[in-house]
């Protein structure tokens, strides 16, 4: 249950950061002033990795609930897991958006 909450919350947060109108002016500012961070904030895979790191620090780590590992390894695993899960959901959503009946 915790994993499902983690994935859905990460997908929601990443979608808001990458596509949400509430962060549009912030995104435009970042894109205008930094090529590296501009690419990072417009990429679902990149942004979701950092959301995973943030969630790991905020919630104490998802991997720590299942394994006894140091926090810095859990931080890395959480970022990679979050990136993969969000990327998979985003791929499914994009597939249905492109192939919907018109």
């Amino acid at each position: 249950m915790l994993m499902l909450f983690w994935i859905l919350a990460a997908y929601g947060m990443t979608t808001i950061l990458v596509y949400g109108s509430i962060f549009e002016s912030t995104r435009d500012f970042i894109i205008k002033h930094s090529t590296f961070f501009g690419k990072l904030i417009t990429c679902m895979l990149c942004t979701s990795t950092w959301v995973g790191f943030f969630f790991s620090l905020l919630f104490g780590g998802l991997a720590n609930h299942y394994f006894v590992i140091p926090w810095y390894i859990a931080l890395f695993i959480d970022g990679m897991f979050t990136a993969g899960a969000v990327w998979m959901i985003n791929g499914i959503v994009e597939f249905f958006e492109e192939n919907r009946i018109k």
Side-chain angles (χ1 to χ4, degrees):
M1 193 61 161
L2 175 64
M3 195 178 298
L4 181 62
F5 170 74
W6 183 285
I7 292 170
L8 293 176
Y11 177 73
M13 186 172 185
T14 303
T15 302
I16 290 170
L17 290 170
V18 174
Y19 299 122
S21 61
I22 192 168
F23 289 111
E24 188 171 0
S25 60
T26 306
R27 256 193 328 273
D28 291 342
F29 177 81
I30 292 169
I31 291 167
K32 185 177 177 182
H33 290 89
S34 173
T35 304
F36 174 76
F37 289 109
K39 288 181 181 178
L40 185 115
I41 198 69
T42 58
C43 169
M44 283 294 281
L45 189 60
C46 306
T47 305
S48 62
T49 303
W50 289 98
V51 168
F53 294 155
F54 174 73
F55 276 13
S56 186
L57 291 171
L58 186 67
F59 299 125
L62 181 65
N64 286 336
H65 290 280
Y66 299 102
F67 308 105
V68 179
I69 53 178
W71 70 269
Y72 51 89
I73 295 174
L75 180 77
F76 178 77
I77 291 171
D78 291 343
M80 298 305 107
F81 171 75
T82 304
V86 168
W87 185 64
M88 181 181 65
I89 293 171
N90 188 59
I92 293 168
V93 169
E94 284 184 350
F95 172 80
F96 284 110
E97 283 178 353
E98 292 172 3
N99 294 305
R100 64 180 167 209
I101 299 172
K102 297 178 182 177

